Amino acid sequence: MKRTVTIQSDKALEIYGPHNCNIQALCTGFPELKVTARGNEIKLDGNKDDIERFCEALEDLSNNQKTKEIQNSDVIVYTTEGKGITPRGKGQRRMVEAYEDNDLIFASGPAGTGKTYIAIALAVKALKNREIRRIILTRPAVEAGERLGFLPGDLKDKLDPYLQPLYDALQDMIPPKKLQDFLSEGIIQIAPLAYMRGRTLNSAVAILDEAQNTNLGQLKMFLTRMGAGSKFIVTGDASQVDLPHKEDSGLLKSLDILRGVDGVADIRFNEEDIVRHPLVSKIVKAFSSNNPNN
């Protein structure tokens, strides 16, 4: 006897478990049953009793995952390995809360605080929940110690190093084939800031990363791309300005201009919010102490 069981595609990863460990554990109880799990379909080949008992056990597993999901209500989204991404520290938690109540969120602070990672997690969650139709990720292509003209390759090759951190975060949260489909279909778009000019971004989460390397005009250009049903997140670190003149950075100027505007949240991270290697926090503090103007 053969049967195909279809499960919700957005729940498959959670039910299968990291590296299919949940399904593999379930299969050990049915040595005579052939089980093939691909995508959101599980194909069963064996005797009727085994198939029915397997389906009951699978339903129990699914219900347990639902219970776990309710208990882990802090989970924003799951990684491709089945681990829940939750806000770590006060800064990230304030950012998640601000996202619920505001359409424009500024998240500024030192490196290692997870600002961009949480922003992308929020965007992926919104896409999976069909709250939006697109994710737009952008960065200014600023020459941080290197000149683009001297880097090898075509324009895409020259720009990809600037955009790689955004790809890295997405690869944590979306399976490779699905991510490639999203990129090729334009559901997820990653591009330098200059490519945003003239566009209107409807039903999207748009994230501007490394915003400290934009001037006021560029930042205004990005913010005025906001269309109906969209949320914008701006992240940056005012201590890491790579512009020729640090005073040209538009990040802090924009925060001053937009202070008190309804629907705009200003989340400031500090050294205590750093979630990378413990040494990163010490490095940031040491550099801040050495150059208080940074």
Side-chain angles (χ1 to χ4, degrees):
M1 179 179 178
K2 295 182 180 181
R3 183 185 299 182
T4 298
V5 180
T6 303
I7 57 180
Q8 285 183 255
S9 56
D10 59 338
K11 299 296 181 185
L13 183 62
E14 297 156 31
I15 292 173
Y16 291 170
H19 307 294
N20 291 340
C21 65
N22 291 344
I23 290 295
Q24 289 174 4
L26 194 59
C27 289
T28 59
F30 301 88
E32 303 299 321
L33 185 64
K34 182 180 178 182
V35 181
T36 306
R38 286 186 183 148
N40 65 329
E41 289 188 345
I42 301 175
K43 295 184 177 181
L44 307 172
D45 187 355
N47 68 60
K48 181 179 178 182
D49 288 342
D50 277 353
I51 288 176
E52 288 182 352
R53 287 192 299 112
F54 183 92
C55 289
E56 289 174 2
L58 183 65
E59 185 176 355
D60 289 341
L61 175 61
S62 177
N63 289 335
N64 287 338
Q65 290 302 113
K66 289 176 183 177
T67 302
K68 185 194 290 186
E69 186 174 327
I70 293 170
Q71 291 171 343
N72 293 335
S73 57
D74 281 350
V75 172
I76 302 169
V77 72
Y78 288 89
T79 70
T80 55
E81 295 183 347
K83 297 177 182 177
I85 297 174
T86 58
R88 297 169 61 189
K90 295 179 181 178
Q92 290 188 10
R93 190 168 296 280
R94 288 197 304 269
M95 186 174 170
V96 172
E97 292 170 353
Y99 177 87
E100 299 300 324
D101 300 322
N102 300 273
D103 289 338
L104 173 57
I105 299 97
F106 284 87
S108 57
T113 52
K115 307 178 296 295
T116 303
Y117 196 79
I118 288 296
I120 292 176
L122 289 167
V124 170
K125 177 184 179 181
L127 184 65
K128 287 187 173 183
N129 290 346
R130 296 181 173 83
E131 297 166 8
I132 56 169
R133 294 198 303 269
R134 291 182 295 171
I135 296 175
I136 312 294
L137 306 176
T138 186
R139 272 184 157 198
V142 172
E143 301 177 26
E146 293 180 291
R147 293 191 176 276
L148 286 176
F150 291 103
L151 294 175
D154 59 17
L155 180 61
K156 182 180 183 300
D157 294 330
K158 294 173 189 290
L159 292 171
D160 270 354
Y162 291 98
L163 306 174
Q164 191 58 49
L166 306 180
Y167 287 108
D168 290 344
L170 287 170
Q171 288 165 354
D172 273 0
M173 304 173 202
I174 302 175
K177 176 64 168 63
K178 193 70 171 177
L179 177 56
Q180 189 56 49
D181 290 344
F182 282 159
L183 290 168
S184 62
E185 294 167 11
I187 294 172
I188 295 178
Q189 301 173 26
I190 305 177
L193 180 59
Y195 285 42
M196 296 297 108
R197 192 172 298 278
R199 303 181 64 185
T200 300
L201 305 178
N202 296 317
S203 189
V205 171
I207 299 170
L208 170 58
D209 191 33
E210 299 288 343
Q212 75 277 2
N213 289 328
T214 63
N215 60 40
L216 192 58
Q218 290 173 315
L219 199 40
K220 178 185 175 184
M221 180 274 290
F222 173 74
L223 296 179
T224 53
R225 302 307 94 201
M226 185 182 289
S230 291
K231 285 180 180 277
F232 275 36
I233 304 175
V234 177
T235 67
D237 178 3
S239 72
Q240 293 189 351
V241 177
D242 295 315
L243 298 172
H245 305 288
K246 292 191 175 185
E247 61 271 17
D248 291 339
S249 176
L251 178 59
L252 295 181
K253 293 178 183 177
S254 296
L255 289 172
D256 287 338
I257 291 170
L258 296 173
R259 183 177 290 116
V261 175
D262 190 39
V264 179
D266 177 7
I267 309 300
R268 305 284 179 112
F269 289 75
N270 57 42
E271 289 87 350
E272 294 178 357
D273 293 308
I274 291 174
V275 293
R276 287 185 190 163
H277 191 287
L279 190 55
V280 174
S281 180
K282 297 177 183 178
I283 291 170
V284 170
K285 288 179 179 178
F287 272 85
S288 297
S289 299
N290 188 59
N291 189 354
N293 294 321
N294 255 352

